[in-house]
Amino acid sequence: MNENQFAENLVYYRKKKGMSQEKVSEYLEVSRQAVTKWEANTSRPSSDNLIKLAQLFEVDVDTLLGNGNREESSTQGEVSMGKMPWILIGISVLCILAYILHSAFTDIFSLGIFICMFILCIPIQLFLHIYFSNAVKNNSFNGIAGFDDRISYNICEVKKLLVQIDLHIGILSTVFIFLFCVTNAVNLKMQWFNGVLLAVYILNFTASIAMSNYKMTDKIYCREEDKKRAKRSIPVIAIYVLLLCAGIGITGIVFEAKGIENNTLPAMKICGLLILGVMSATTGFLIENSKIKKWNPANTNYKTNKASIISLLICVIMYGLMCAV
């Protein structure tokens, strides 16, 4: 073992992963002082810990010991965004421009459809791509929803997840912008179909992110208890998203089926009940999510918070009252 080189490599790969000594020690289940001594070259890790370190940093043991090419190994492990998201953004922009030009000649321009396509393209598709790209490039994940500095992550796998989500959002947004463009450019006179498209987009958007996180859970988290907490939170997120989509869907169906017009008393009642239902669902989600973060999988079995169940029932009741208006 090249002792000096190993200590240098340990510091190099730890910082490259964006991990503190404490996070490395938690992953290996050793004291932080032990990691400090390894980096100071005053003690040596055991063979098992050496293998775990190599797995954590995604290099082979020889490279970690200083017997391989560190720069070559580092380059091979790099994760970066490809060009495809930008190509998809370009296609989305062309679809929007095509809709505007077509509308100018046919006089069927809809401000609502334009705003919808604009939101899908700019704030969602473009902004998220720039945001994710910056996170992957600079190892800066604090702004990413769900990321917690107190948790030990496999940074390389986190980057791969962001690349995967970014590409999916790009494809999804481009497809739905194209569908909005085509269905409204040919003037099918099916306004309800636009609501269906938007609801399907939202459901697909959230479901795909939840599924991607679920599939990568074992790779993203270093510690077993963090993996269990993450898996426990996914059904809670899925139920919350379904409740939001159900509320929007019920609102649209009730308005369409009963011929309710905007700015009328029935419309205000339905919107009020929708807001109460969403607030109740959000309260239940926050309560349950907070309990999951404090849950210790090693010592206790998980039990759903009663307040969350009550919030869920209130939400369902509000949605039921919407149908009865």
Side-chain angles (χ1 to χ4, degrees):
M1 178 189 293
N2 187 333
E3 297 174 356
N4 292 327
Q5 188 63 52
F6 166 72
E8 291 177 7
N9 284 348
L10 182 56
V11 175
Y12 172 81
Y13 286 117
R14 176 177 63 78
K15 291 182 177 180
K16 183 175 176 60
K17 282 283 186 180
M19 301 180 71
S20 64
Q21 289 183 342
E22 186 175 1
K23 287 186 177 180
V24 174
S25 66
E26 288 176 354
Y27 175 77
L28 297 177
E29 297 181 345
V30 298
S31 67
R32 186 181 63 80
Q33 287 74 17
V35 178
T36 302
K37 290 180 181 179
W38 298 342
E39 293 187 354
N41 199 28
T42 57
S43 68
R44 311 285 180 268
S46 65
S47 298
D48 288 340
N49 284 333
L50 189 60
I51 294 173
K52 288 182 180 179
L53 284 169
Q55 292 174 340
L56 175 62
F57 299 142
E58 295 187 305
V59 296
D60 54 68
V61 175
D62 283 341
T63 300
L64 186 60
L65 293 176
N67 300 324
N69 190 322
R70 186 173 74 180
E71 295 303 324
E72 181 179 344
S73 174
S74 173
T75 302
Q76 291 176 349
E78 285 291 337
V79 177
S80 61
M81 297 287 185
K83 296 180 179 179
M84 182 57 67
W86 283 112
I87 295 174
L88 294 169
I89 291 170
I91 295 173
S92 297
V93 171
L94 289 176
C95 287
I96 294 174
L97 292 176
Y99 175 73
I100 294 173
L101 291 174
H102 182 270
S103 300
F105 290 104
T106 58
D107 195 28
I108 59 170
F109 180 77
S110 170
L111 180 60
I113 297 303
F114 171 75
I115 292 174
C116 187
M117 291 193 293
F118 178 84
I119 291 174
L120 262 59
C121 179
I122 305 303
I124 296 180
Q125 189 177 7
L126 177 60
F127 174 77
L128 287 181
H129 174 63
I130 294 174
Y131 196 74
F132 287 164
S133 296
N134 180 69
V136 170
K137 182 179 179 180
N138 300 316
N139 287 339
S140 176
F141 308 101
N142 290 328
I144 304 297
F147 191 87
D148 190 341
D149 279 334
R150 296 168 295 181
I151 296 176
S152 298
Y153 295 95
N154 187 328
I155 299 299
C156 185
E157 295 300 328
V158 172
K159 290 182 178 181
K160 290 178 182 179
L161 175 61
L162 291 181
V163 171
Q164 178 181 328
I165 291 175
D166 181 56
L167 182 59
H168 182 85
I169 290 174
I171 295 173
L172 183 67
S173 298
T174 301
V175 168
F176 276 81
I177 288 172
F178 175 77
L179 291 175
F180 274 116
C181 178
V182 172
T183 55
N184 289 276
V186 297
N187 197 19
L188 295 177
K189 296 181 179 180
M190 294 189 302
Q191 297 302 319
W192 58 269
F193 188 67
N194 294 322
V196 172
L197 281 178
L198 186 59
V200 172
Y201 175 86
I202 295 172
L203 187 60
N204 196 312
F205 181 92
T206 51
S208 61
I209 292 177
M211 286 301 299
S212 296
N213 275 278
Y214 180 77
K215 291 178 180 178
M216 296 285 284
T217 297
D218 289 330
K219 296 181 179 180
I220 291 176
Y221 297 94
C222 297
R223 297 184 301 177
E224 193 63 33
E225 56 264 36
D226 291 328
K227 295 177 183 179
K228 291 180 179 179
R229 290 192 191 98
K231 289 180 178 179
R232 173 62 63 180
S233 68
I234 288 175
V236 177
I237 295 172
I239 292 173
Y240 178 64
V241 171
L242 287 174
L243 287 173
L244 294 182
C245 292
I248 296 172
I250 291 172
T251 302
I253 292 172
V254 171
F255 267 76
E256 184 70 23
K258 297 188 177 182
I260 298 175
E261 297 181 358
N262 294 330
N263 301 320
T264 61
L265 183 59
M268 288 187 285
K269 286 182 179 180
I270 291 173
C271 291
L273 291 170
L274 174 63
I275 292 172
L276 289 175
V278 170
M279 289 177 60
S280 179
T282 303
T283 301
F285 169 74
L286 293 176
I287 292 173
E288 198 66 21
N289 198 44
S290 176
K291 182 178 180 181
I292 291 172
K293 288 183 177 180
K294 298 176 182 178
W295 173 49
N296 186 349
N299 297 333
T300 59
N301 293 323
Y302 187 82
K303 294 182 179 180
T304 304
N305 194 302
K306 293 181 179 179
S308 301
I309 297 175
I310 293 173
S311 297
L312 174 63
L313 292 175
I314 292 174
C315 177
V316 173
I317 291 172
M318 292 300 105
Y319 288 174
L321 292 175
M322 286 168 59
C323 299
V325 172

